[in-house]
Amino acid sequence: MGNAPKERRTAKERTVDRVYAEVREQILAGTWGPESRLTEEMLAERYNVSRTPVRAALHKLASDGFIEMIPRAGAVVRARTLAEAIEIYDVRSLLESEAAGLAARRRSEEEVATLYKIADEMEAIAEKSGQVPALSQLNQELHHLILRASRNRTLEESALRLIDIGFVINTYTNFRRTDMARTLADHRALIQAIEAQDEIWASSVMRAHIATTRNALKSTMRP
Amino acid sequence: MGNAPKERRTAKERTVDRVYAEVREQILAGTWGPESRLTEEMLAERYNVSRTPVRAALHKLASDGFIEMIPRAGAVVRARTLAEAIEIYDVRSLLESEAAGLAARRRSEEEVATLYKIADEMEAIAEKSGQVPALSQLNQELHHLILRASRNRTLEESALRLIDIGFVINTYTNFRRTDMARTLADHRALIQAIEAQDEIWASSVMRAHIATTRNALKSTMRP
DNA sequence: CGAAGGGCATTTGGATCCAATAAAGAAAAG
DNA sequence: CTTTTCTTTATTGGATCCAAATGCCCTTCG
């Protein structure tokens, strides 16, 4: 097994993946809000590629729940109603609280250290600039890491799917100054529970944490 | 709103959907077992279509967890290890027991009647012929209907995804004669609980039902 | 006889071309 | 002036063509 694959990292990124990532980024950033029409030709021109990879990227985005493909009409960014958003958070609560419990049992020392590092960074940013994109990014990393630590890839993938589409909804609602203190406190308790390998504590805090976030939606979303 | 859309049901099925459905069918039926190589050209020839819709179908199958796309090599039917299979059942247990509880609260009378009808049919078939494909089909319908009755589409979709790939694993393991009686009894209790709108009963039976199925895997799968 | 290197075949990824369809707009009739 | 129908246009779906990459086999050299 002594073959050196000569940096397969450099394996030129497929353009379909690039387009997928870019469009996804734009949707998450809110550049293209709900109901925005995304035509294959427009995107192809914008990214200087042919329609083929754009089509593949759009289908993947649709399968991941970010957009909706109208049979022979076009693709629109999927609008979520308040009811749908709440549903998503309910299921997340179920999956992520289970993951938190498993993570408490199975986490490594290194993972605990990384979790603390992320929490520290979030607190530093919240105190200084309060930059929402940076906070959102770190928050996502924290949740991902806990899912990873559960050592259950099926659970991880199921929850990730929901977290991603959830971020379309909540990026700018969850990080209001009033909710921030609570979020940071939740994170700290969560990490302590995982460090202490207390499954019930960890899953309970996660359940409460997500329920709080879910509740914040009710005041910010109208439909 | 008086426009009659003139039977849009007849809107000629897209070939990509047809190919997706057919290949999926073959995988579920076991015609193409784990590790089978599926090349675009082979499928294109077999279904008399070009490679374009085949490619789209394969990507969708990959995103749904049925196959694995090796970057520039080909697509192979995904093999599940015992550990993965158990993971899938663990998450299913979580999601479907929640769904059963919600279904108990929200089910309509009509849904209860349909559930009983399915259970009756399964018992009849089990007693007479014991046809595995028919039983599997009905079993799947029963689970789908309960998910539907939960009135939570996010929960429904998350669970469905897992049920589908689960069926790649278990179609021929879950319906051995020894386990059949237990399965049928579980179903009947489940429906009674849902009819009685007893959430705790319903979710408990579902949890036990899936755990039993999960356990059967251990004796039939080897890795 | 063994190992290494290069060429060839297989297979996917991307571009372009053509067909089908649905919506919108224009024109004609009542 | 309104309504209906026909035509045009915008946009996706499918087919074909070309490029790139990967793995395998054969050849050649040590």
Side-chain angles (χ1 to χ4, degrees):
Chain A
M1 276 90 161
N3 63 338
K6 197 191 278 186
E7 277 303 316
R8 73 154 54 94
R9 282 272 297 89
T10 326
K12 196 166 60 184
E13 193 185 20
R14 294 183 316 171
T15 64
V16 50
D17 292 333
R18 205 191 80 219
V19 172
Y20 174 86
E22 301 233 22
V23 174
R24 187 172 174 281
E25 200 69 30
Q26 297 297 309
I27 293 174
L28 289 173
T31 311
W32 291 319
E35 307 296 336
S36 293
R37 278 179 64 93
L38 302 178
T39 70
E40 294 178 2
E41 199 164 328
M42 183 267 279
L43 293 171
E45 185 160 355
R46 177 182 282 246
Y47 295 114
N48 270 88
V49 293
S50 83
R51 270 184 44 220
T52 309
V54 172
R55 226 155 88 188
L58 285 179
H59 280 291
K60 191 165 162 52
L61 286 164
S63 139
D64 287 353
F66 291 104
I67 65 179
E68 202 168 353
M69 306 281 291
I70 315 294
R72 260 193 183 71
V76 298
V77 177
R78 194 159 158 187
R80 301 280 177 178
T81 64
L82 175 59
E84 278 180 292
I86 288 177
E87 275 187 2
I88 291 170
Y89 277 80
D90 284 343
V91 181
R92 268 191 65 181
S93 171
L94 204 62
L95 295 172
E96 291 202 67
S97 62
E98 175 79 6
L102 290 172
R105 194 192 312 169
R106 302 174 178 168
R107 92 290 184 290
S108 69
E109 293 293 333
E110 196 198 342
E111 282 166 335
V112 173
T114 309
L115 287 171
Y116 273 121
K117 215 179 100 224
I118 294 173
D120 290 343
E121 271 187 73
M122 283 190 76
E123 284 173 16
I125 292 174
E127 207 167 324
K128 277 200 310 229
S129 56
Q131 285 284 332
V132 169
L135 286 170
S136 178
Q137 170 74 21
L138 287 167
N139 184 55
Q140 206 163 0
E141 277 176 31
L142 191 143
H143 281 263
H144 283 197
L145 187 52
I146 291 173
L147 286 169
R148 175 64 55 92
S150 77
R151 308 272 187 274
N152 183 327
R153 283 188 59 84
T154 306
L155 187 57
E156 183 184 346
E157 281 168 27
S158 299
L160 240 94
R161 173 176 286 277
L162 297 177
I163 292 180
D164 283 352
I165 59 182
F167 269 84
V168 178
I169 300 164
N170 72 5
T171 307
Y172 284 89
T173 64
N174 284 351
F175 296 99
R176 296 176 308 180
R177 297 189 57 80
T178 41
D179 301 328
M180 205 59 226
R182 172 74 197 233
T183 298
L184 295 175
D186 281 352
H187 284 174
R188 212 147 269 282
L190 195 49
I191 299 171
Q192 281 167 5
I194 289 172
E195 182 178 29
Q197 303 198 282
D198 188 326
E199 299 178 33
I200 294 178
W201 185 15
S203 66
S204 307
V205 173
M206 182 64 95
R207 196 160 18 244
H209 175 56
I210 294 178
T212 305
T213 308
R214 188 195 89 148
N215 187 62
L217 286 180
K218 292 187 188 162
S219 28
T220 50
M221 287 183 79
R222 266 306 117 214
Chain B
M1 277 94 155
N3 63 339
K6 197 194 282 186
E7 276 305 314
R8 72 153 56 95
R9 280 273 296 92
T10 326
K12 197 167 58 184
E13 192 186 21
R14 293 183 317 171
T15 64
V16 49
D17 292 334
R18 203 191 81 219
V19 173
Y20 173 86
E22 301 232 23
V23 174
R24 187 171 174 281
E25 200 69 30
Q26 296 298 310
I27 293 175
L28 289 172
T31 311
W32 291 321
E35 307 297 336
S36 292
R37 279 180 65 92
L38 303 177
T39 70
E40 294 179 2
E41 198 163 330
M42 183 268 280
L43 294 170
E45 184 160 354
R46 179 181 280 244
Y47 295 113
N48 270 88
V49 294
S50 82
R51 270 184 44 219
T52 310
V54 172
R55 224 154 90 188
L58 285 180
H59 279 293
K60 192 164 162 52
L61 285 164
S63 139
D64 287 352
F66 291 104
I67 65 179
E68 201 170 354
M69 305 280 290
I70 315 295
R72 258 189 185 72
V76 298
V77 177
R78 193 159 157 186
R80 302 281 179 178
T81 65
L82 174 60
E84 278 180 291
I86 288 178
E87 276 187 3
I88 291 170
Y89 276 80
D90 285 342
V91 180
R92 267 191 66 180
S93 171
L94 203 62
L95 295 172
E96 291 202 68
S97 62
E98 175 80 6
L102 290 172
R105 194 191 311 170
R106 301 174 177 168
R107 93 289 185 288
S108 70
E109 292 294 333
E110 197 198 341
E111 282 165 335
V112 173
T114 309
L115 287 172
Y116 272 121
K117 214 178 102 229
I118 294 173
D120 289 344
E121 271 187 73
M122 282 190 76
E123 284 173 17
I125 292 175
E127 207 167 322
K128 275 201 310 228
S129 55
Q131 287 282 331
V132 169
L135 287 170
S136 177
Q137 169 74 19
L138 286 167
N139 183 56
Q140 205 162 4
E141 276 176 32
L142 190 143
H143 281 263
H144 283 197
L145 188 52
I146 292 172
L147 286 169
R148 176 63 56 90
S150 76
R151 309 273 186 272
N152 182 327
R153 283 188 59 84
T154 307
L155 187 57
E156 183 185 346
E157 282 168 27
S158 298
L160 267 172
R161 172 177 288 275
L162 297 177
I163 292 180
D164 284 351
I165 58 180
F167 268 84
V168 178
I169 300 164
N170 72 5
T171 307
Y172 283 88
T173 64
N174 285 352
F175 297 99
R176 295 175 307 180
R177 296 189 58 80
T178 42
D179 301 328
M180 205 60 226
R182 171 75 197 232
T183 298
L184 295 175
D186 281 352
H187 285 174
R188 209 146 273 279
L190 195 50
I191 300 170
Q192 282 168 4
I194 289 171
E195 182 178 29
Q197 303 198 282
D198 188 326
E199 298 179 33
I200 293 178
W201 185 16
S203 65
S204 306
V205 173
M206 182 64 94
R207 195 159 18 243
H209 175 56
I210 294 178
T212 305
T213 308
R214 187 195 89 146
N215 187 64
L217 286 180
K218 292 187 190 162
S219 29
T220 51
M221 286 182 79
R222 266 306 116 215

